[in-house]
Amino acid sequence: MVERLREGLGPKGRPLALLVFAGFLVAALYGRVLAYQFVHDDVSLIEQSERLRDPATLGAALQHDLFWLSDGDTRPSPYWRPVTTASYYLDAFLSQWITGDVTAWVFHLSNLILLVLLAVASGRLVQSTQSQPPSWRTMAVFCAVLIVHPMQVEPAANITARPDLLVALFGCLAVARSGGAGAGWTLLALGAKETAIMIPLMGAIFGRGRNDRWRPHLLAVGFWLFVRGALLSGWNVAASDSGLPTVASLAGAAGHLWILIGRIAFPIDPIAAWTYPVLSLGVQVGAWLALLALIWVLYRWCIGPMGWLVLLPLLPVCGVMARSVRYGEGLMCWSLAGLAGVLGFTRKGRWLALIMLPWWTWVSWNRTPDWKDEQTLWASAVQVAPEDPLVALKYGRTRLEQDPGEALRSARVGLDTERDPRRRRELHALAANALVQLGRVSDAGTHLVVAAEPGDSERIWALSARCIHAARSEDPGAPALSDVCSAAAQLRPHDAGLLNAAGVEAAQRGAFAEAVAYFGRAVELEPEVPSFQRNLTNAQRDVKLNQP
């Protein structure tokens, strides 16, 4: 058995042996995730999505951003990822065919299969850069580093990290190919995630400047940008969500890049979410100088393409090509193929890998159960970063039903450090919700005034709660209660209680005709509620009394 494995992974071996070896490692380390639930963004994007359950919506889904699957509860984004979207629809179809409903294990299985295929595709790509066929030891170390690294746990266990797996897989296949095949794989990678925009440069590096290894890929990128731009123009994407970089994002990009490289080199305390620290001007300048020095070393000393494979996939996600910078361990999935090449294909690297692999395996083995469900995921995160505002928000939401007092404490921790206006509204909404659960409705008013932004459709609960509880504010800069009730009624047109509250607000400010419309819709939805009918009758009487 061992001799067959050696022959399969060795110079004369076929991809099938590498496939079997990678499959064994993935099954042994991550097979447990098949019993795990939907977590993180999986919940809104997949589990709660009615659109995903209906194959007839596939055509519309492929023409919208990925988060359109959240049934319209999120604002339009620039993340047009039709390949990822199609993979979710395929999993949903298979899941409903097998089990009768959308179940998590089918989606998890797809992620594990993609990780195995990534090991094979990246292994063959790195093999193509060697003058001599690699030994079985080299390929075994390469495969092990790629799969067991702690930063690979999230792509393996988090369904919504699938774009990172897909772009890495198709990206490796694209870089290894020339001509039309390379362009086709490039389009698939771009359809998975925007970071594939670096493929032409990677193709030029791996192809040693050959025109057929980068020109077709560049044409594919140009075609994708044209189609994407045409689609985005009709989505009304907010300027802050446009994805275009800003001066601030460019200034901090090198620092963010070094943080990600540091996480790859020293994968201590993995965490599902994290807020980047505010970098001073001196740190930003130093980070850029260090990055330029690294690029010069990679180019001047001809270290080889594996070093570039670590660096280039990180550039689009650190602020160079987008203003929105979010931390996620899935972002490093593609770069881990470069790390595996650096360690697996040099003698000193293999010795270092053999030293690190036991530690990495132990970390990954203990990290994987954190993804079992929402509670375990964010309970582990708050242990790593208890003061982080994003972690506080996510953790507080998981505690809201069972322990609203703990959710309130978590929201206040986040509000102490968060500066982003949108995130602060989310934290205020969490605090208000917790206070309502605790029966302290009057104390929730201050938070509701801040959280309920009429132009933000994602704050549906806050809009509705402020209208229902009639939380008024003396602050002239706060949204008027009438605007809040109007926005909430548009977002929840079938909520009779909300419509009744909007009618009460309209009647109090003398807009009796508007109140009649709200009360009338509430009565249509729930005619058995006496107060709704009574309010409608009173409003109709007031309309007649106030006629000229």
Side-chain angles (χ1 to χ4, degrees):
M1 180 68 180
V2 174
E3 289 300 323
R4 289 182 180 179
L5 181 61
R6 289 181 178 182
E7 292 176 4
L9 294 176
K12 298 180 180 179
R14 298 178 179 179
L16 181 59
L18 187 59
L19 182 72
V20 172
F21 184 62
F24 169 76
L25 290 178
V26 169
L29 190 57
Y30 303 120
R32 294 172 293 172
V33 305
L34 295 178
Y36 293 174
Q37 302 175 14
F38 291 105
V39 297
H40 210 352
D41 292 333
D42 303 349
V43 177
S44 61
L45 198 62
I46 298 173
E47 184 180 27
Q48 297 175 352
S49 175
E50 293 300 325
R51 290 171 173 170
L52 192 62
R53 287 170 165 78
D54 182 5
T57 63
L58 175 60
L62 296 178
Q63 301 176 53
H64 286 82
D65 68 296
L66 178 64
F67 295 98
W68 181 83
L69 292 177
S70 298
D71 294 338
D73 288 342
T74 57
R75 58 190 178 276
S77 74
Y79 304 125
W80 179 54
R81 299 170 179 174
V83 172
T84 302
T85 299
S87 76
Y88 288 151
Y89 269 88
L90 177 60
D91 282 354
F93 172 78
L94 292 174
S95 178
Q96 292 179 97
W97 179 59
I98 296 171
T99 68
D101 196 5
V102 173
T103 50
W105 72 265
V106 177
F107 292 82
H108 282 303
L109 180 61
S110 293
N111 273 34
L112 297 184
I113 292 173
L114 288 171
L115 180 54
V116 173
L117 294 177
L118 171 60
V120 176
S122 58
R124 305 305 286 186
L125 170 64
V126 177
Q127 280 184 20
S128 68
T129 66
Q130 304 301 302
S131 57
Q132 297 292 328
S135 68
W136 69 270
R137 295 182 183 86
T138 295
M139 294 310 301
V141 170
F142 172 89
C143 195
V145 170
L146 176 64
I147 291 172
V148 309
H149 193 284
M151 295 298 105
Q152 201 69 273
V153 174
E154 180 171 334
N158 181 18
I159 297 168
T160 44
R162 184 173 299 178
D164 300 299
L165 285 168
L166 287 171
V167 73
L169 171 60
F170 293 139
C172 287
L173 292 171
V175 172
R177 301 295 190 276
S178 60
W185 288 117
T186 300
L187 286 174
L188 286 174
L190 288 163
K193 194 172 183 179
E194 307 75 30
T195 50
I197 201 169
M198 304 303 296
I199 287 177
L201 182 55
M202 292 183 189
I205 293 172
F206 276 82
R208 296 178 175 85
R210 284 172 44 192
N211 290 339
D212 64 340
R213 292 290 293 274
W214 66 270
R215 284 186 177 178
H217 309 72
L218 187 61
L219 290 174
V221 170
F223 174 76
W224 173 79
L225 286 172
F226 174 78
V227 175
R228 178 178 179 269
L231 290 172
L232 258 65
S233 65
W235 292 351
N236 297 318
V237 179
S240 58
D241 296 327
S242 65
L244 298 176
T246 62
V247 173
S249 71
L250 288 171
H256 299 146
L257 179 64
W258 281 112
I259 290 174
L260 294 178
I261 292 176
R263 296 293 290 164
I264 292 174
F266 306 100
I268 302 170
D269 292 331
I271 189 170
W274 184 62
T275 304
Y276 283 108
V278 178
L279 305 176
S280 66
L281 179 60
V283 171
Q284 291 177 353
V285 172
W288 269 109
L289 292 176
L291 177 59
L292 293 175
L294 174 63
I295 293 174
W296 182 85
V297 168
L298 290 174
Y299 174 76
R300 185 72 178 83
W301 289 1
C302 300
I303 290 177
M306 271 79 76
W308 291 104
L309 191 57
V310 175
L311 177 65
L312 293 180
L314 299 177
L315 284 176
V317 300
C318 65
V320 172
M321 297 183 181
R323 73 176 66 189
S324 179
V325 182
R326 296 181 178 90
Y327 175 82
E329 289 165 0
L331 302 176
M332 294 165 261
C333 176
W334 198 354
S335 295
L336 293 179
L339 176 69
V342 170
L343 295 181
F345 284 76
T346 60
R347 177 169 298 185
K348 292 181 179 179
R350 283 194 295 273
W351 280 111
L352 178 60
L354 291 174
I355 294 172
M356 303 302 292
L357 279 172
W359 172 47
W360 289 347
T361 303
W362 181 81
V363 174
S364 296
W365 178 263
N366 288 283
R367 168 62 173 163
T368 302
D370 290 343
W371 289 89
K372 182 179 180 180
D373 54 43
E374 285 282 283
Q375 287 71 30
T376 58
L377 179 63
W378 298 113
S380 67
V382 82
Q383 294 295 321
V384 175
E387 304 298 323
D388 186 279
L390 179 56
V391 172
L393 173 64
K394 298 287 189 178
Y395 174 69
R397 286 174 174 171
T398 67
R399 302 301 302 161
L400 189 59
E401 297 296 328
Q402 295 86 359
D403 190 352
E406 177 68 8
L408 178 61
R409 187 201 66 79
S410 189
R412 287 172 173 168
V413 168
L415 287 169
D416 286 341
T417 54
E418 183 58 70
R419 294 294 174 264
D420 178 70
R422 182 173 290 160
R423 186 77 51 73
R424 287 189 65 83
R425 285 201 298 272
E426 294 182 71
L427 287 162
H428 277 292
L430 173 62
N433 204 337
L435 287 166
V436 170
Q437 298 264 11
L438 292 168
R440 297 163 56 186
V441 176
S442 59
D443 295 336
T446 303
H447 294 287
L448 285 172
V449 168
V450 179
E453 176 61 44
D456 191 349
S457 61
E458 292 185 4
R459 306 282 74 78
I460 296 177
W461 180 88
L463 291 166
S464 303
R466 186 185 171 195
C467 181
I468 290 172
H469 297 296
R472 300 183 181 275
S473 173
E474 302 298 327
D475 182 1
L481 185 59
S482 58
D483 294 336
V484 169
C485 289
S486 176
Q490 291 178 16
L491 291 169
R492 285 186 170 174
H494 303 295
D495 187 332
L498 170 63
L499 293 171
N500 181 70
V504 170
E505 187 281 326
Q508 288 177 345
R509 58 184 165 85
F512 300 114
E514 184 179 344
V516 167
Y518 283 129
F519 290 138
R521 285 157 59 192
V523 169
E524 289 177 5
L525 291 169
E526 296 186 14
E528 70 280 2
V529 180
S531 61
F532 293 175
Q533 182 63 59
R534 184 167 57 252
N535 289 339
L536 174 60
T537 302
N538 292 338
Q540 291 172 335
R541 181 199 61 203
D542 291 334
V543 168
K544 292 179 181 179
L545 291 175
N546 286 275
Q547 286 180 346

